[in-house]
Amino acid sequence: MTSIVFARCVLVCLTFTGTSAEAQDAVVPRGVIELFTSQGCSSCPPADEAFEKLVRKGDIVALAYHVDYWNYLGWNDTLATPENTGRQYAYARSLGRSGVYTPQAVLNGRDHLKGTDADEVTRKLDGMRQQGLGLSVAVRAARKNEELTITVGRGQGKADVVIVYFRRKEVVDVLKGENVGKKVAYWNSVTDVQTVGMWEGNELHLVLPAKVMAKDGNDGCAVLLQTSSDEGEPSAILGATMIIGNDGT
């Protein structure tokens, strides 16, 4: 699922040394939450509800990755992919953990906690921002006609520009397994992750075909400016934004 798509997707990729008002004026989200969840996990519905609250607040980039390692309990998660599971294990290695669990919330790519309390997630993100571990680089994205434009502001360091595609809302009747009989609404369920560029501290402007956002039933995408560990695992997120719907809202 994670793939380099320069040749396939990128129409224009220019690096500027000046400062763009568009990039600098972008609204900086409170932070990024990546929730690893499963329809087959009895502990996950409270986290899915808390996640919905965070989505509705609108000031957090919220992404839900459905994993497949609980499928053996009797219900195959309809939104799970091996690639989502792989991303969670990659985070485990980056964070120095020996294993994974659900529901796990990874915050800004830097830390994790059990994702069942929306207020705790918000407090944690605010604390990270106060400690200088929040989103420090402005990222802006918009869809117009046939183009998806991304502008990353200036900053320190190097990072990948990562697009995470998602389906806005899916209501699932769970017919087997630990959550049998429950009807659960799942928000911002990730379908694909692609690396589309590299940022080295200067302002960066990318233009992609907008049609890449509409495939696989996607309703939107997030843009993450994400560093990686020496081994190439996902690590700290320096900036982020989100596009929902065809009008870029």
Side-chain angles (χ1 to χ4, degrees), residues 14 29 41 43 55 83 93 97 116 140 180 206 220 227 244:
L14 299 175
C41 162
S43 300
V55 170
E83 292 80 6
R93 292 188 291 271
R97 292 183 53 81
T116 53
R140 189 178 185 91
V180 60
L206 301 172
T227 64
I244 301 167

Side-chain angles (χ1 to χ4, degrees), residues 137-139 152-153 159-162 199 223-227 236-240:
V137 179
V139 178
V152 182
D160 295 327
V161 181
V162 178
W199 174 84
V223 180
L224 308 180
L225 185 65
Q226 185 161 36
T227 64
I237 296 172
L238 306 181

Side-chain angles (χ1 to χ4, degrees), residues 14 16 23 49-50 67-68 81 89 95 98 100 113 125 128 136 145 158 161 163 165 172 182 194 204 207 227 246:
L14 299 175
F16 301 95
E49 292 178 6
V67 298
D68 61 1
T81 66
Y89 273 96
L95 295 171
S98 59
V100 296
L113 50 76
L125 286 173
M128 294 176 75
S136 57
N145 299 325
K158 297 181 180 180
V161 181
I163 298 185
Y165 300 96
V172 177
K182 292 184 178 180
Q194 297 177 336
L204 178 67
V207 181
T227 64
N246 293 332

